[in-house]
Amino acid sequence: MEHVPPPAEELARLDRELAELDARRAQLLTRRAWLLAALRPPAPTAAPGWNPSGWGAPSGGRAGAPAQPWGSVPPKQASAPRSAQNVLLTLGGLLLTVAAIAFTLVSWGSMGIGGRSAVLAAVTLGALIAPAVLLRRGLGATAEALAALALVLTLLDVYAVHAVAAPDTDGLGFTAVAFAVLAALWTAYGLALGKLRLPLPAAVVLAQWPLLFWAWAAGAPALVVGWALLATAVLDGAIALWGRGTGTRVLACVGGSVMGFSALLVGLTLSTTASGPLGAVAPGALLLTAAAAALAGAWRAPKGFARTGGVVAGLAAVAAVGGVPAAAVPDGWRVLAYLLCGLALTAVVRARLPRNAAQGVLVASAAVTAGALVGTVPGVAAVLLGPVTLLSDVWAGSPEGFRSALGSTLSWSEPAAAPAVLALVAGLLGAAYRWWPSLARIAGPLTARETPEAGGTPGAGRPGDASARGAAGAGASGHGAGTPGAEVPGASGTAAHGAGAPWSGWNSAAWTGAWTGAGAGGARRLSGAALRGAAGAGALALGWGALLLTGAVLDVPYAVAVVAETVLVAGLLALAVRGAEGGREGSAAVAVTALVAAVAGAVSVGLLSLASEGASYAVFGALAALFAGAAVRAGAGAPRAVSAVAATVSATVLTGFAGRSLGLAPYEAAPLLLLVPALTVLLGARLRRNPVALPVELTGALGALVAVGLAVPDAPFLALVLALCGVLAAGAAVRTERRPVAGYLAAALFVLATWVRLAASEVSFPEAYTLPVTVPALVVGVLRRWKDAEASSWTAYGPGLAATLLPSLAVAWTDTDWLRPLLLGVAALVITLLGARYRLQALLVLGGAVLALDGLHELAPYVVQVAGALPRWLPPALAGLLLLVVGATYEQRLRDARRLKDALGRMR
């Protein structure tokens, strides 16, 4: 039966194929144009102003040479005349500006009042009129230079007027009025001469200061300064939205950001330092007005600016409204007032705001919530990690209260509201997890994927459009799934490349990859099930933290705290087991979070119980039982393995407590710790290939390693523990799947136990240490050769023989007694004869080499004595005779060496 894809998928596939066809057609057309240019005869000189290289025709080099269509970079050319003109005009304007400043500051006093006024008026008026004349003649660059000179002259006029006509006037007040007049003048001038690019940006810069300087001159309080900054920021925002020219808008945007941030900083400082609710009302009004202004700007701003405006509006609104109740409550509870206001911002999903502005408000709500949660981290960390201090004084006695057991220097009056904060956010996240489909349906207009619209402002979006676009997305989100590729990307992008567009150097593969990557990126958005699971996991984690912090804030008795945390671990384990078996969307994330919280809580309550002996036994016994039950009830996978490992660790700790209760030293209690590893070996044999068997056995091995570490101070106990570990490893090696590792581990442990025992008994003979290695190694070698007759003797017998022969030979060369060399020589002779009899290369070579070196060691004293008694000319004579004999029988000796080599090579 033929598969028919859904209409949306088929439409996306058709669009993709059409885009690839367009890209291939563009490449072919580019190649065709280049070939036509290569075949075209040399063209006559081009008409002035026509640039053939921009269309793929011949450019540069010899006439008629084809252009390079595959992305070649043309060589640099000399500076164009227009660039040189701009440089000259800039230098001329700077020189005139310097001259005007020098005239005003230096030569001002040498002229009368009439001459001064006439010169300044004439020069300034001429500088303002000249650009209009120059623009009519098409000299735009010269007009810009003279406009810049006129700007400097107007500033000098202001300075001159203040210095001569109004010297007694307050400087700041005069500057505020002057900047306001100049801003109005240059705004009118820029609107009148629309082709000039300098006047309007200059007016924007001048407009930043009048209100601020006025407030400063009047000695206004900080609140008035904040209002002046905010009014300036609102003016900048209006210019950024409706101003003329890119430079004007950019400057207005920068100025509005700086002034607005300053106003918000003033309002926030006054709000947080207010002495009471009434004192926070006036700064709150400033912040609320700033929020309204930011939201109004976000209503018409493009996509990115709209989201930023929404964030600023949300944060300012929280600071404004939350600051009033926060001023009436103690310091530890202020965060709750701001959190409630931040959570109230989520009501924006019901408001008819533009899509991007509403998303920014939601981001502000999330930021406030995250900030409130970050403030609770020190308290939660103190509860979880504070009991670590009890490790230095185990079983010192039960403290009076929960805080005394934590040993934290944290002032518990500061995080007083932390449990309420965690509980509030946990409750909201839990409600979202419970009623996720309804929430997804409500928030659909804001979370649905945005569809490209031709001819519209990106991201501006009207409220009705956002609702219409989100209607379908809400239903999809409610079911935790979307339909990737439902919209038609690339429609406007295809239209942008018309038939007459220059296609030279266009890379279809890059365009196709970018389009596909964008689609894939959209498909990689988190699904509804993942978001729901994150909400449930967050609710569980925050609720757990709230319960932990509540006991610390209330300073409940120590016993109550231990019981409560143990019960909390039991509840988390039950939720982890139940969540893993549940079928609701996101339940897996909740189960994993519950398991992680249970393990963390078990560690915390285990450390907390170390203050009392009875509490320690009760808590770790309960933890072992709880985790063992969770391991039995949980399904196959990570939850069962983690629970089994935690149960094993708890049981191991209990055995350690038993040794301490019996008054045993740490090395004396080490054998007791091997009880749990022995049980894990038996349990592993029972579970066989169950996935839980390996983690449990590895945890038991870790407990055995701890036992070895405890027994290190006492060598006899260390030998005993190593031997017992070897027994456990040998028991594990009985199973086929553990034999490759456990078998070698058992042998190594037995050897180590033997060596430690010998060292403890002060045995110094090397053979006592090497023979326990050699004998088992030779037995293994015999079994290996019995199963595989073709196995090399070096693999089967080489390691075992070398383990004893080489150390004994090294000691024999320094031993003055005769017994060890004699026994070593006899053993080497026997090994050599066995190697020759059974044609085993390793035995023959090792035995012969050791025998020769041992004999040389024994004969060396006599050789030295004989050499001392012989005449001195005899050794050279004997050496020469030997060389003559070898030379005369060289061919025979060479054949003998080859036969020896072949004979050794035929051995195994």
Side-chain angles (χ1 to χ4, degrees), residues 140-202:
T142 308
E144 293 285 353
L146 289 179
L149 176 63
L151 175 62
V152 177
L153 287 174
T154 54
L155 295 175
L156 293 175
D157 288 340
V158 170
Y159 167 76
V161 169
H162 181 264
V164 176
D168 298 330
T169 307
D170 180 61
L172 288 175
F174 184 84
T175 303
V177 175
F179 276 0
V181 173
L182 288 179
L185 172 64
W186 281 99
T187 301
Y189 188 74
L191 294 176
L193 301 179
K195 294 183 179 180
L196 290 179
R197 291 175 292 181
L198 178 64
L200 291 179

Side-chain angles (χ1 to χ4, degrees), residues 337-774:
Y338 290 109
L339 177 61
L340 291 173
C341 295
L343 294 176
L345 292 179
T346 55
V348 75
V349 297
R350 287 292 193 179
R352 295 183 59 82
L353 287 178
R355 171 194 178 96
N356 295 301
Q359 289 178 346
V361 175
L362 289 180
V363 170
S365 175
V368 173
T369 306
L373 293 178
V374 169
T376 65
V377 170
V380 177
V383 173
L384 290 177
L385 303 179
V388 174
T389 57
L390 296 175
L391 290 173
S392 60
D393 196 8
V394 178
W395 295 354
S398 302
E400 296 180 359
F402 190 15
R403 296 180 189 175
S404 302
L406 299 180
S408 175
T409 58
L410 182 67
S411 175
W412 289 100
S413 60
E414 296 179 359
V421 170
L422 292 173
L424 179 59
V425 180
L428 291 177
L429 289 177
Y433 175 75
R434 174 62 180 84
W435 292 286
W436 182 260
S438 301
L439 178 63
R441 192 161 49 251
I442 294 172
L446 298 180
T447 58
R449 296 175 60 182
E450 190 171 359
T451 304
E453 299 177 7
T457 303
R462 296 180 300 276
D465 298 339
S467 301
R469 285 194 302 266
S477 301
H479 291 83
T483 308
E487 63 263 9
V488 185
S492 60
T494 306
H497 301 286
W503 293 93
S504 177
W506 192 80
N507 189 350
S508 65
W511 187 89
T512 305
W515 186 89
T516 306
R524 283 196 297 267
R525 294 178 62 188
L526 290 176
S527 63
L531 292 174
R532 185 176 188 177
L540 178 63
L542 296 178
W544 172 59
L547 293 176
L548 289 178
L549 263 180
T550 301
V553 171
L554 298 178
D555 196 17
V556 298
Y558 171 76
V560 175
V562 171
V563 173
E565 290 199 20
T566 307
V567 172
L568 192 57
V569 171
L572 289 171
L573 285 176
L575 187 58
V577 174
R578 181 182 177 185
E581 298 173 352
R584 177 178 294 178
E585 288 182 349
S587 59
V590 176
V592 171
T593 305
L595 183 60
V596 173
V599 173
V603 173
S604 179
V605 72
L607 293 173
L608 186 64
S609 67
L610 295 180
S612 171
E613 181 177 2
S616 299
Y617 280 106
V619 167
F620 278 96
L623 291 178
L626 289 173
F627 279 106
V632 173
R633 291 294 305 274
R640 171 173 287 183
V642 171
S643 300
V645 168
T648 305
V649 171
S650 301
T652 304
V653 175
L654 281 175
T655 58
F657 288 161
R660 184 179 179 87
S661 298
L662 294 175
L664 301 177
Y667 62 87
E668 293 175 336
L672 287 177
L673 292 180
L674 297 179
L675 291 176
V676 175
L679 293 177
T680 59
V681 172
L682 297 176
L683 185 61
R686 176 69 177 83
L687 296 175
R688 305 290 299 175
R689 298 186 181 276
N690 192 297
V692 182
L694 182 59
V696 170
E697 291 182 81
L698 290 177
T699 307
L702 183 62
L705 184 61
V706 173
V708 171
L710 292 176
V712 166
D714 189 86
F717 269 94
L718 178 60
L720 173 62
V721 171
L722 288 173
L724 293 176
C725 291
V727 172
L728 296 178
V734 174
R735 296 156 52 197
T736 306
E737 66 274 11
R738 300 287 183 261
R739 189 170 301 160
V741 176
Y744 291 106
L745 180 61
L749 289 172
F750 282 130
V751 171
L752 285 175
T754 305
W755 287 355
V756 171
R757 181 67 261 183
L758 291 173
S761 302
E762 299 181 354
V763 176
S764 59
F765 299 112
E767 292 79 10
Y769 297 90
T770 58
L771 286 177
V773 178
T774 297

Side-chain angles (χ1 to χ4, degrees), residues 6 28 77 252 304 324 396 409 427 455 507 532 625 729 832 891:
L28 295 177
Q77 299 179 355
V324 177
T409 58
N507 189 350
R532 185 176 188 177
T832 304
E891 296 295 335

Side-chain angles (χ1 to χ4, degrees), residues 298 302-312 355-357 359-361 450:
K303 181 177 181 179
F305 292 97
R307 289 182 179 174
T308 305
V311 173
V312 173
R355 171 194 178 96
N356 295 301
Q359 289 178 346
V361 175
E450 190 171 359

